[in-house]
Amino acid sequence: MGLHDVSRFMGEEGSDFEALKLAHTLIFTARGIPLIYYGDEIGLPGGGDPDNRRDFPGGWPQDERNAFDLSGRTDSEEDLHSYLRNLTRVRKDLEPLRRGRTVNLMVEEHAYAFARVSEDDSVVVVFNNSEVGVDLEFEIAPARLTEGTVLQDRLGQASPVQVREGRLQVSLGPRSAAILAE
């Protein structure tokens, strides 16, 4: 399954909405143009051909439910839909996510941090794919952030962090990500 092929993701054993959020976060913060295929915004399950994409629920009078409307989505589907709407806004608001080069900051078994650095700004993206919360610390110099800079998480998963002695300390809950920006 390719990075952009989240349409099959929810049909995979062990998949869940939190893992799907992490996949979408990577797609929206990594280099390139994010691709959302219909149904990805609600976690529509699928599998191999001929189940590679099911009909989106709604749009026709005879459909049992209409997931185009809030009232037709489950709580999990709406949570994912809202999360993707926020990711779209964050990407639009933060120029380095659209045009910046990628600089790896930390790579561990279940954690990853990178910066997207443009001419005028930097954004730090941190992932925790572990089933438990983590406290991470890594050098931030390649992101060109100055000492004392305070970064806020645009996803609301992490507390504000400050560059201290050229490093960042970030605490993340289980299976979560943070997009840190001034």
Side-chain angles (χ1 to χ4, degrees):
M1 176 170 61
L3 176 62
H4 65 280
D5 190 15
V6 294
S7 62
R8 291 184 48 205
F9 187 83
M10 290 305 283
E12 299 288 323
E13 185 177 332
S15 63
D16 61 28
F17 280 90
E18 295 310 311
L20 187 55
K21 284 180 182 179
L22 286 178
H24 278 300
T25 304
L26 182 59
I27 289 168
F28 271 77
T29 58
R31 285 188 57 214
I33 299 170
L35 170 67
I36 299 180
Y37 195 61
Y38 82 88
D40 287 351
E41 72 275 24
I42 63 166
L44 189 67
D49 194 24
D51 189 29
N52 54 343
R53 180 54 69 186
R54 299 175 184 175
D55 290 339
F56 193 91
W60 304 101
Q62 69 272 19
D63 288 341
E64 292 179 23
R65 72 182 184 113
N66 184 1
F68 288 102
D69 294 325
L70 171 63
S71 62
R73 293 191 284 268
T74 67
D75 290 344
S76 294
E77 289 171 344
E78 177 52 28
D79 182 55
L80 179 61
H81 188 266
S82 295
Y83 188 84
L84 280 171
R85 219 174 21 245
N86 186 44
L87 272 176
T88 303
R89 276 191 293 268
V90 168
R91 183 177 171 87
K92 178 182 174 276
D93 291 346
L94 300 174
E95 184 264 342
L97 294 180
R98 297 186 317 276
R99 294 184 179 84
R101 64 185 174 89
T102 302
V103 179
N104 289 322
L105 301 173
M106 180 203 62
V107 179
E108 293 183 358
E109 178 79 21
H110 294 285
Y112 177 45
F114 64 90
R116 295 294 305 278
V117 181
S118 68
E119 194 171 307
D120 299 321
D121 206 2
S122 297
V123 173
V124 177
V125 184
V126 186
F127 292 90
N128 174 23
N129 194 34
S130 172
E131 298 289 334
V132 297
V134 294
D135 294 319
L136 305 168
E137 184 175 344
F138 49 89
E139 290 185 26
I140 198 68
R144 297 188 343 222
L145 294 168
T146 59
E147 188 69 20
T149 300
V150 176
L151 303 173
Q152 306 285 334
D153 177 20
R154 298 297 179 93
L155 298 177
Q157 302 292 312
S159 298
V161 294
Q162 185 175 25
V163 177
R164 292 191 180 141
E165 298 178 12
R167 302 181 71 75
L168 273 186
Q169 293 181 335
V170 180
S171 296
L172 283 176
R175 313 255 326 256
S176 64
I179 300 174
L180 303 166
E182 289 185 76

